[in-house]
Amino acid sequence: MAPREGDSQSGDSSIKLTAYKKFPTNYPHKTFQEWLSAKRIDDDVGPYWRVHDKLYDLTDFIDKHPGGKMWLQVTKGTDITEAFEASHIGEGPEKLLQKYYIKDTKTPRNSPYTFHENGFYKTLKRRVRPILKNLGRGPSWKTVLIQDALALSFVLLTLASTALSSYTLAAFAGTALAFMVVCAHNFFHQRDNWRMYYYDLSLHSSYEWRVTHALSHHLHTNTANDIEISALEPFWELLPKSDKKFIQRYAGFIYEQAIIAVIYFMELSKRMYNGFTGVTPLRPENFLIFLELIVMAAISSSFWVALKLFLTIHVAFSIVFLNIGLTVAHHHPDIFHDGDRMRDDPDWGLCQLDAVRDRYEVAGNLFLVLISFGDHTLHHLLPTVDHSKLNSLYPAFLETCKEFDIPFTFMKWSTLAVGKYMQMARITPNNNYPGFKKKAS
Ligand code: HEM
């Protein structure tokens, strides 16, 4: 595999990307700020926004954007082609975009992905458009009910655990919080809405996650530009690098739960440090987590008991949340990871199919789908569509797969859970199309 531009500067000679033209600047990225600054350097589009091969000045549109300001505020100076294509299904945004056109650019995109009119992804979007026009894209009453019921369970369990000083109830509260946050992930992909702030009752930040998850992981899945890969290194080495250490390849299952238990506390500390030192201003929702502690301290017999219960809740949260997150969809040797051979037709939608797998166990059950990142392939392809609508899109999706001769497959959750360790052990890149081997030539 030929080294790419920048490989020699990476300091890590074992990574040979197959996906992007440039090796990501300052890899591995650990924070959303690092990822955004590296993308600005690598995309190199000056003070504009790039969509395909055109540059736009969206400055006057930031405040008018129906999806919310932050998407355009944070992406100034970057190529937003994937974000633009994946976030909108109708033709309105494309027409509107022309109003902000500045000039064409001759520099090829750093990203390998294509969005040809007759390619898989655009065909799928055309097919689901009339269905979603009838159904609507936003939340159904069922999604809202499940989300709010999970939030209520979390609040009641937290109050009960504090009033009774019960660590068992605190562990249950942490579990309810994890399910609530996974469900809130459905809401934070959509236009700004208050339910996305349920996220901030955990050690996460909805604002940061919109960058690291919606803009990085979702659009550049399982590549070195997916911060959900790079931020986990060196504890989870998920790309097939040749110089992984024995412990990284085979001992992950021994150390990972200890790291999972503390990882989000470290994130919270970093967020607070950056906020108070002026690196990234703190946002009002960043204080919800402290409000939680204050309420617990007010109810509890002592501050120390409240603190210990609070820690129990958030350790339980981290364990449940990350164990779900790491095993549900992306890691198995049959699934594409940067370094593996990419398909010859790098249609963005097809490449998403290569980097995602769905699970049998949760298919068709909205509650399980919402608390465990279900219908993940369709969610990756259409991230702004509410999960309650995805089930109705399978006929159009399967018809598109058939048209493009793509055998869409499910995996068992247990296969994916074991697959994560097999992937951590893997040091040899796949030379076939991963997963969809029938199409490999
Ligand atoms: C980083 C790039 C962008 C992201 C991540 C993004 C994200 C979103 C999101 C999440 C929604 C709400 C979808 C929903 O809840 O149904 C939305 C709606 C919308 N966006 Fe964007 N957007 C981006 C760029 C743009 C640009 C450049 C334009 C046009 C100049 C645009 C125009 C619209 C319009 C008109 C809507 C209303 C709903 C629709 O027609 O799809 N967006 N966007």
Side-chain angles (χ1 to χ4, degrees), residues 58 61 65-67 71-72 75 80 83-84 87-89 93 96-97 100 137 189-191 215 384:
L58 298 165
F61 182 63
H65 179 228
W71 300 113
L72 295 173
T75 53
I80 57 167
F84 182 76
S87 304
H88 313 110
I89 292 146
L96 188 60
L97 185 62
Y100 301 96
R137 279 174 297 173
H189 275 288
Q190 300 171 14
R191 60 188 63 211
L215 294 175
T384 57

Side-chain angles (χ1 to χ4, degrees), residues 8 18 34 59 65 87 90 123 130 139 182 203 238 244 247 266 278 300 336 347:
S8 55
T18 51
E34 282 173 19
T59 312
H65 179 228
S87 304
T123 306
V182 178
L203 302 170
L238 291 159
K244 289 182 195 173
I247 196 161
M266 287 159 62
S300 176
F336 173 85
D347 176 275

Side-chain angles (χ1 to χ4, degrees), residues 44-45 50 52-55 101 103-108:
D44 192 20
V45 300
R50 177 176 187 155
H52 300 295
D53 290 336
K54 294 182 173 16
L55 300 182
Y101 170 79
K103 59 181 176 185
D104 283 14
T105 169
K106 298 236 164 359
T107 330

Side-chain angles (χ1 to χ4, degrees), residues 313-370:
I313 289 174
H314 290 283
V315 168
F317 159 79
S318 303
I319 290 174
V320 177
F321 181 83
L322 255 181
N323 278 297
I324 293 176
L326 282 170
T327 59
V328 286
H330 295 292
H331 305 305
H332 184 285
D334 277 356
I335 300 176
F336 173 85
H337 288 77
D338 209 338
D340 293 337
R341 176 185 163 182
M342 273 184 81
R343 56 176 64 241
D344 296 334
D345 171 8
D347 176 275
W348 182 78
L350 290 177
C351 292
Q352 284 295 312
L353 295 184
D354 291 341
V356 184
R357 279 302 174 282
D358 263 291
R359 286 152 295 139
Y360 293 107
E361 293 86 346
V362 302
N365 180 322
L366 182 61
F367 178 72
L368 294 179
V369 161
L370 282 169

